[in-house]
Amino acid sequence: MAAPLTDRYIAAAVRSMPAACGPDVQAELEVSIEDAIEARIEQGEDCGTAERAVLTDLGDPEILAAGYAGRQLQLIGPRFYLTWWRLLKLLWVIVPVIAMVGVALGQTLTGETPGAVLGASVSTGVSAVVQVAFWVTLVFAVLERSSGPAPLVEWDVDRLPVIRSRGAGRADLIAALVVLLVGAGAILWDRFHGLVRLDSTWLPILSTDLWPWWIVGLLGLMAAQAALVVAVYRRGRWTPAFALINTGLALAYAIPAAALLAGGHLVNPQFVALVLSDNGVGADSIRTLALITGAGIVGFSAWGVIDGWLKTVRDRT
C-alpha cells in the first residue's frame, strides 16, 4: 500500500538534504503542509483534492530541498538540471555494466588471458561512463539553448517516489548466508568426496587442479560476499561504496571462472570423458554446453552487479 502523498513528498525532499538539517526541515514541512491542507478543507475542498493541490503548488521536492539547503541545481542551466541528472544516473547504472559484460564475454570466448579480459573490460567500462556523460550533457546543452522557458518534464504529485523499505531485511540476510554456506559446502564436498557417482566411484565436477589456490580464492570471495551482506543489513541501506564492492566481487568471480572454462581448466577432465563423452555427447555438444555455462556465469554475475546498483538507486530515492 502506497504511503500518503504528504509522507512521500516529505521523504523525497529530505533524502537529498544534509543529515544535520533534515529533521528540522521535515518538521517544518509537516506543519506547513498540514496547515495549508486544513485551510483548503475549510474552504470546502475534500481532503484528497486539497492535499494534491498543496503539494502541486510546492513543486518538485528536490528543487524545494535545494532551496532549503542553499544549493544551486545547475550544470549548464537550472531548468533541465534535475532531468539531466536523473537520466545520467540511470544510464550510468545500465550502459557501462552491459558494455563490460559484453567485452568480457567476447574476450573470454576468443581465448584471451584473464589479465587481458580484465583490462579490456575495465577500459570499456570507463570509456562507457565518459561517453554517456558527454553525450547526455551535450544533448541537454542543446536543449537548454534551443527550447522555450518551460521545463522539459512538468512535475506533478504522481511522480513522487513510493516509500520502500531500505537495505536488506532479516529474511534476505538469512537466505543469502544460507545460499553462500551451502555453496561453500558443495565446493568442499566436490573437492574431497565428489558430486557425481559413476558406478562405485564419486567424481568431482570441478578440476582437481584448482586446489588449493583457486578453490581457496573462491571461498574467500564467498566469505567477502557474506561480509558485504551483513554490512548492508547492519547499515540498513545500500550505498555506492557497497555497490562498488559488490561489482568488484562479481568481476573477481566471473572473469577468472570464464577464463578457466575457456581454457578447459574449470571442469574435471574425467567428468567430461566418463560422464559426457562415453555417453554419446559429441565434441560440438560439449563446446555448446561450455558456451552455455560461460554465458550463465557471466549473466549471473552481471545480474548481481545490476541488482546491487538498482538497490543503491532505490535506497537513495
Side-chain angles (χ1 to χ4, degrees):
M1 181 176 179
L5 288 176
T6 299
D7 292 343
R8 291 165 59 189
Y9 186 95
I10 294 174
V14 171
R15 72 186 180 191
S16 58
M17 301 193 65
C21 60
D24 293 336
V25 173
Q26 178 175 346
E28 181 178 340
L29 283 175
E30 287 174 351
V31 173
S32 61
I33 292 174
E34 183 179 357
D35 291 343
I37 292 174
E38 289 179 356
R40 285 181 171 270
I41 292 175
E42 290 176 357
Q43 295 175 4
E45 294 184 12
D46 65 83
C47 183
T49 302
E51 183 182 32
R52 294 182 68 89
V54 169
L55 298 180
T56 301
D57 290 343
L58 285 175
D60 192 319
E62 292 192 40
I63 295 177
L64 183 70
Y68 273 104
R71 291 185 291 108
Q72 285 191 343
L73 300 179
Q74 184 169 336
L75 176 67
I76 299 167
R79 281 187 296 140
F80 297 150
Y81 176 86
L82 284 176
T83 305
W84 163 81
W85 182 232
R86 289 162 180 164
L87 178 61
L88 189 60
K89 289 190 292 184
L90 176 63
L91 293 178
W92 269 343
V93 170
I94 298 173
V95 176
V97 173
I98 293 176
M100 291 177 69
V101 170
V103 169
L105 180 59
Q107 293 276 311
T108 300
L109 294 179
T110 57
E112 295 291 342
T113 63
V117 173
L118 178 60
S121 301
V122 172
S123 175
T124 299
V126 172
S127 177
V129 170
V130 174
Q131 290 289 333
V132 167
F134 173 78
W135 290 109
V136 172
T137 303
L138 178 63
V139 168
F140 276 90
V142 173
L143 287 172
E144 183 75 34
R145 285 158 176 76
S146 62
S147 61
L152 191 63
V153 179
E154 291 288 349
W155 184 87
D156 61 72
V157 295
D158 293 325
R159 291 168 56 87
L160 286 171
V162 175
I163 299 175
R164 299 180 177 90
S165 60
R166 296 173 177 268
R170 181 167 299 185
D172 296 328
L173 171 68
I174 294 173
L177 293 179
V178 167
V179 168
L180 290 169
L181 184 61
V182 170
I187 291 170
L188 292 174
W189 187 266
D190 181 68
R191 170 63 184 85
F192 294 108
H193 183 269
L195 288 177
V196 178
R197 184 169 183 173
L198 186 65
D199 296 329
S200 60
T201 304
W202 287 89
L203 290 177
I205 296 176
L206 296 178
S207 173
T208 55
D209 293 337
L210 298 176
W211 182 265
W213 301 115
W214 286 106
I215 297 297
V216 171
L218 177 57
L219 294 175
L221 288 176
M222 296 175 75
Q225 188 70 44
L228 175 62
V229 172
V230 173
V232 172
Y233 175 74
R234 290 175 61 88
R235 180 68 180 268
R237 64 194 298 266
W238 277 78
T239 67
F242 287 152
L244 284 173
I245 294 172
N246 182 62
T247 300
L249 292 175
L251 292 175
Y253 159 76
I255 293 174
L260 287 169
L261 179 66
H265 305 299
L266 183 64
V267 180
N268 182 11
Q270 284 186 303
F271 171 79
V272 175
L274 298 177
V275 176
L276 298 180
S277 298
D278 288 358
N279 286 281
V281 180
D284 290 340
S285 298
I286 291 175
R287 280 193 292 270
T288 301
L289 288 173
L291 287 174
I292 294 173
T293 303
I297 291 172
V298 174
F300 177 80
S301 300
W303 170 245
V305 171
I306 294 171
D307 185 52
W309 284 105
L310 288 175
K311 288 176 179 176
T312 301
V313 172
R314 179 201 69 189
D315 284 0
R316 291 171 65 89
T317 57

